[in-house]
């Protein structure tokens, strides 16, 4: 039997709002088999209803619809270590998993690009979906099917502080203004343009500048008590730090011993949360069990 592994992802990376994303070494695991009726068995973070109206089954149906076919009934079994509604791409991972299952049952008819398009259409956030499918750092344009892999050093570590409270993407987006000052747009464009160069050079100093943002983080931080101080503490340690996706998790990048950074961000996670130390992840892949 083979099991599908789909990585957690973090989108935005500060200045790259709705454009940049990265895969992390924390994986949703999924198995399936054809059955007499659809069923869903879930283990892991949070609690989800055990019925066929879930993100994985929905993406299976969307994948088959893209191929002009009807899907068979499936029992889908999921183990999910990715925190829900924390900014680590749990919904993108589920949708990529469903599209990958559809592709496998269709004999590879969708292919990786088709999986990306199906999952992006459902998710609405290709900056999460691209790294979930292809791994690594990705630039994904929100209004096209275009995505580009970015070169990066292999020794980067991500320290991710996940607090005990949830924050939905919809709620986080609702805080954002419809218009922004021109100087803020220019500020973000210049920082986002730094990301590919900073990654290719492996320069944490440049990454520390590239994460700076005026378009979304200042507004989202109002919904995340303590997060502003956590980002400031990471910055004082020389680490590029940013809100993970829509939040409420925050992330920072380092090399070598993450101990001081873990301690600094741990105060934000608190007793009800946790801190992960992760590497850059691989894209979705079937592996033998």
């Amino acid at each position: 039997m083979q099991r599908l592994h789909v990585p957690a992802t973090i989108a935005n990376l500060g200045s790259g709002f709705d454009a940049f994303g990265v895969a992390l070494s924390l994986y949703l695991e999924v198995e399936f088999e054809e059955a007499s009726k659809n069923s869903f068995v879930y283990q892991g973070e949070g609690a989800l209803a055990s019925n066929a109206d879930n993100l994985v089954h929905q993406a299976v149906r969307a994948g088959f619809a893209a191929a002009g076919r009807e899907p068979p009934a499936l029992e889908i079994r999921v183990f999910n270590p990715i925190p829900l509604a924390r900014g680590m791409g749990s919904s993108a991972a589920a949708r990529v998993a469903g599209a990958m299952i559809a592709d496998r049952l269709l004999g590879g008819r969708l292919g990786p690009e088709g999986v990306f398009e199906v999952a992006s259409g459902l998710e609405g956030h290709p900056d999460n979906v691209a790294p979930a499918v292809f791994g690594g750092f990705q630039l994904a344009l929100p209004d096209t099917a275009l995505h580009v892999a970015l070169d990066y050093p292999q020794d980067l570590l991500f320290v991710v502080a996940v607090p005990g409270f949830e924050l939905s993407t919809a709620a986080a987006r609702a805080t954002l203004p419809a218009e922004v000052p021109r100087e803020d747009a220019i500020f973000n464009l210049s920082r986002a343009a730094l990301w590919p160069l900073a990654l290719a050079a492996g320069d944490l100093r440049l990454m520390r500048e590239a994460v700076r943002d005026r378009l979304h983080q200042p507004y989202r931080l109002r919904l995340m008590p303590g997060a502003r101080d956590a980002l400031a503490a990471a910055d004082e340690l020389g680490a590029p730090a940013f809100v993970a996706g829509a939040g409420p998790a925050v992330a920072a990048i380092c090399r070598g011993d993450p101990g001081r950074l873990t301690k600094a961000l741990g105060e934000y996670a608190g007793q009800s949360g946790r801190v992960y130390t992760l590497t850059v992840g691989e894209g979705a892949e079937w592996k033998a069990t």
Side-chain angles (χ1 to χ4, degrees):
M1 178 180 291
Q2 289 202 321
R3 179 178 293 180
L4 176 62
H5 293 69
V6 186
T9 54
I10 290 178
N12 302 327
L13 308 183
S15 63
F17 181 44
D18 278 1
F20 290 120
V22 63
L24 300 177
S25 58
L26 183 68
Y27 296 91
L28 177 78
E29 298 183 22
V30 182
E31 297 175 344
F32 76 94
E33 60 184 336
E34 295 193 35
S36 59
K37 63 178 182 179
N38 284 318
S39 63
F40 182 66
V41 180
Y42 181 85
Q43 292 180 293
E45 291 290 317
L48 295 179
S50 296
N51 58 52
D53 188 26
N54 59 79
L55 298 184
V56 184
H57 270 101
Q58 289 172 16
V60 171
R61 293 193 289 270
F64 270 82
R69 299 267 300 277
E70 288 291 327
L74 299 173
E75 177 183 297
I76 295 176
R77 299 179 293 275
V78 170
F79 174 72
N80 177 35
I82 305 171
L84 304 180
R86 299 299 201 283
M88 295 182 69
S90 59
S91 63
R95 286 169 168 141
V96 168
M100 290 281 289
I101 290 171
D103 181 57
R104 194 166 184 84
L105 288 168
L106 290 165
R109 182 169 174 178
L110 297 178
E113 294 298 334
V115 167
F116 170 67
E117 291 185 24
V118 168
S120 293
L122 295 170
E123 179 73 6
H125 303 288
D127 49 348
N128 279 110
V129 174
V133 176
F134 302 104
F137 283 85
Q138 297 279 333
L139 166 62
L141 302 189
D143 53 350
T144 73
L146 180 63
H147 60 90
V148 180
L150 303 178
D151 292 334
Y152 63 92
Q154 299 295 317
D155 61 344
L156 294 182
L157 294 176
F158 283 77
V159 177
V160 186
V162 181
F165 64 91
E166 296 183 355
L167 177 59
S168 72
T169 299
R173 279 188 178 269
T175 68
L176 305 184
E179 298 180 353
V180 296
R182 179 184 299 175
E183 56 267 28
D184 288 352
I186 293 171
F187 180 94
N188 265 63
L189 284 170
S190 62
R191 270 65 183 182
L194 269 179
W195 261 117
L197 176 62
L199 286 171
D203 191 328
L204 290 177
R205 179 183 60 86
L206 291 180
M207 293 181 212
R208 188 178 171 199
E209 190 63 35
V211 300
R212 303 197 191 282
D213 164 80
R214 292 182 182 175
L215 295 186
H216 66 106
Q217 292 190 161
Y219 307 99
R220 288 171 164 166
L221 286 169
R222 298 170 185 171
L223 304 178
M224 301 165 52
R228 193 182 302 274
D229 290 341
L231 295 179
D235 186 69
E236 288 179 7
L237 293 174
F242 46 91
V243 175
V250 299
I253 302 173
C254 69
R255 284 192 168 102
D257 183 2
R260 293 175 65 201
L261 193 55
T262 298
K263 182 178 180 180
L265 295 187
E267 295 183 14
Y268 172 61
Q271 293 185 350
S272 62
R274 73 194 76 175
V275 179
Y276 297 84
T277 300
L278 304 166
T279 58
V280 178
E282 301 175 344
E285 184 180 7
W286 294 97
K287 298 182 179 181
T289 57

